[in-house]
Every structure is written in C-alpha cells, then in structure tokens.
Amino acid sequence: KSLFRLYGERLLHLRRSVQLKMKLDEEPVIPWYIMTSPLNHDTTCSYFEQEDYFELGKENVFLFKQGTLPCFTEGGKFILENKYTVATAPDGNGGIYNSLKNSGAFDDMQTRNIKWVQVTSVDNSLVQVADPVFIGCCETKKADVGNLSCPKAAWNEKVGVVAMKGNSSHHSLQKYSHFLGLFCCVFAHNCYHCSTLCLCATRYLFSVCS
C-alpha cells in the first residue's frame, strides 16, 4: 500500500466518521494539497488519476509543483546541466510557502473558507491527517502555528528540536547538531492558521503552540 493511499484512506475514513457523528446528509469535504517535485509531478498526477483520487473527488485534491533553485559548487560556482543550462534542484521544505502562493493553492483555500491547514512530510506513515485533536489544540490556544514533537530515542539522537534561542521568549526550530541533551524532537508536522500560512510567503515571524 502506498503512502498516498494510506493518507487518502485515512481522509476518507475521517470524512465518513464526521458525517456519521454529526448526522450530516453528505460527507464533509477535507481538501488535500500535495506539493510535488518537478521531477515526479506528472507521474504523481497520473497515479492519482489511476486510483480515482481514492474516492475523495478530483476537485478536492490539489497537486502543485515545488519551486527550484540553481545548484552551486561548494566554491560558489554554478553547476551546469549542459553547456547552456544551469542545473536546478527542488528548493526544500521552505519552498512550500511560495509554491502554495504561485500555484493558486492559497486562492483555493480562501475560496473554500479554510481556517486551518495541517502540513506534514509525505514519508511519515504515522501521521494522523487532519488531526482534530491537534487542530483543536491550536484553535483553543489561538496560536498562529502549532508544532508536534515527540521524545527522542536517546539523549544524543541527532534530530531537530524546538528550543528557546538565547534570551528570547520565542520558540524556534534548531538544527540537530546543537542541543543534543534536549528531550523532545520535531518531525515536520505543523498546523497553520490559514492567514498565517499565507503571510509566510513574505513574513516568517509568528508565535508557536508546541
């Protein structure tokens, strides 16, 4: 079973559970936004077509391409793909903000009056998609963004952490190469207020609920 199928089935189950619990005439819609690499976008689109979008409805699955950046050597020189073309590569996790904006995904979210957006990596099979407890926690605390963390496997496990930096009263994500003694780690599982997510394309200052 693919990870996409796993997530799709969880979304479908959640929709049906909410319909039953709330005694709704129709299943509620939970849109799914998927950022792809330029290298696998067409293949991913074909896969979703083949799987009939896991019964979620084509109109509720928004696939968009990640941006790219030029490649450099360690000495700061451009790497060429061929004699006339600079090599490029996907622009990393942080590229999601501009990609959402440039693809029209933000406009789609606003049209649908979406309030909260859960963001996670595709390779985490344990993720509870559209987690009502996580989203409810962020709503209750009126946070701009929430971040889930979990205990480290060992005190010296090299993973990212949420920590206070210097004398600051704000949380920040720190690289694994520091703070080896801290207990909890992060695993790229966040929940954004939709208005904050839109602002992140140009601004990166927000309060964290962790």
Side-chain angles (χ1 to χ4, degrees):
K1 181 181 294 188
S2 72
L3 288 169
F4 282 135
R5 172 164 288 282
L6 187 65
Y7 299 149
E9 289 178 352
R10 287 176 180 173
L11 274 176
L12 188 62
H13 175 74
L14 180 59
R15 284 172 31 164
R16 291 173 175 173
S17 295
V18 171
Q19 180 187 17
L20 183 63
K21 180 72 174 179
M22 303 301 294
K23 299 180 180 179
L24 303 175
D25 293 333
E26 298 180 351
E27 286 182 17
V29 171
I30 305 175
W32 190 7
Y33 299 87
I34 302 169
M35 185 171 73
T36 65
S37 163
L39 301 175
N40 61 31
H41 180 79
D42 291 341
T43 302
T44 304
C45 290
S46 295
Y47 174 71
F48 273 83
E49 288 278 0
Q50 176 186 330
E51 297 295 333
D52 195 28
Y53 296 87
F54 308 112
E55 300 180 55
L56 298 170
K58 181 178 181 179
E59 69 279 6
N60 299 318
V61 180
F62 193 112
L63 293 112
F64 62 99
K65 292 182 183 179
Q66 183 175 11
T68 59
L69 291 172
C71 298
F72 296 88
T73 66
E74 291 185 1
K77 295 182 178 181
F78 285 111
I79 297 175
L80 297 181
E81 183 177 330
N82 56 51
K83 187 176 180 179
Y84 305 103
T85 307
V86 175
T88 60
D91 57 6
N93 292 342
I96 188 174
Y97 306 112
N98 282 331
S99 296
L100 282 168
K101 179 180 178 181
N102 295 336
S103 67
F106 282 150
D107 294 334
D108 186 75
M109 292 177 187
Q110 292 171 348
T111 299
R112 294 173 182 267
N113 294 317
I114 292 174
K115 187 173 183 180
W116 291 100
V117 182
Q118 183 180 351
V119 180
T120 188
S121 299
V122 70
D123 56 355
N124 188 347
S125 63
L126 299 180
V127 165
Q128 175 62 52
V129 291
D131 184 351
V133 175
F134 184 24
I135 296 171
C137 175
C138 294
E139 171 70 21
T140 300
K141 292 181 177 291
K142 301 185 184 303
D144 296 320
V145 57
N147 170 256
L148 283 183
S149 60
C150 67
K152 290 184 176 182
W155 70 271
N156 60 348
E157 182 182 12
K158 292 185 176 181
V159 290
V161 297
V162 175
M164 298 287 194
K165 189 174 183 179
N167 296 322
S168 171
S169 60
H170 294 89
H171 293 84
S172 61
L173 300 180
Q174 303 296 327
K175 289 185 176 181
Y176 65 83
S177 56
H178 302 92
F179 310 105
L180 293 180
L182 292 180
F183 182 65
C184 287
C185 66
V186 296
F187 49 96
H189 191 170
N190 305 308
C191 183
Y192 295 84
H193 194 282
C194 193
S195 61
T196 300
L197 187 61
C198 293
L199 287 174
C200 282
T202 54
R203 294 174 54 189
Y204 299 94
L205 183 62
F206 38 76
S207 60
V208 177
C209 162
S210 180

